[in-house]
Amino acid sequence: MLHKDDEIHEEVEKLKQSTNRLIYKGKNDSERKKALTKLEDIRDNLEDISVDDFKEMTIDENLDSKEVMSDITDILFKLKKELNMK
């Protein structure tokens, strides 16, 4: 019976090690792909916006919106430019 307990304990330890390796790999993958995940979230949020969302805005709010869109375009341009250089 003692031998059987040792085998079970050994298998449990192997399972724990495998689980820990998968967790570590998952964390590394998550950290490595963080920028991609953020970009996908931004894309999804932008897809939710339509022209109708701007119809009720004041002139100043519309101007502010256009400025923010311009800032986003500039940031994306710079990122794409830097990525193409690598």
Side-chain angles (χ1 to χ4, degrees):
M1 186 71 169
L2 190 58
H3 180 67
K4 191 76 164 169
D5 286 346
D6 287 343
E7 286 178 13
I8 292 172
H9 180 70
E10 195 174 304
E11 289 301 315
V12 168
E13 286 304 313
K14 286 180 185 178
L15 184 61
K16 282 182 183 179
Q17 289 174 356
S18 293
T19 303
N20 287 337
R21 278 194 300 273
L22 287 172
I23 290 169
Y24 180 75
K25 184 180 182 318
K27 286 180 182 178
N28 284 344
D29 287 352
S30 178
E31 185 63 31
R32 186 185 73 247
K33 296 189 309 188
K34 188 165 58 171
L36 174 59
T37 302
K38 284 182 178 183
L39 284 173
E40 289 171 339
D41 289 345
I42 291 167
R43 179 201 57 211
D44 294 346
N45 287 331
L46 288 172
E47 286 177 342
D48 290 340
I49 299 172
S50 75
V51 174
D52 294 336
D53 296 326
F54 298 92
K55 288 183 177 175
E56 299 295 319
M57 288 186 183
T58 65
I59 292 172
D60 287 339
E61 291 168 337
N62 264 299
L63 290 173
D64 289 343
S65 296
K66 289 177 183 177
E67 187 176 317
V68 169
M69 285 186 258
S70 179
D71 291 345
I72 291 169
T73 303
D74 291 345
I75 291 167
L76 289 173
F77 177 80
K78 289 174 187 173
L79 282 172
K80 286 170 80 173
K81 184 177 177 182
E82 289 178 24
L83 284 173
N84 284 333
M85 294 177 92
K86 293 182 178 183

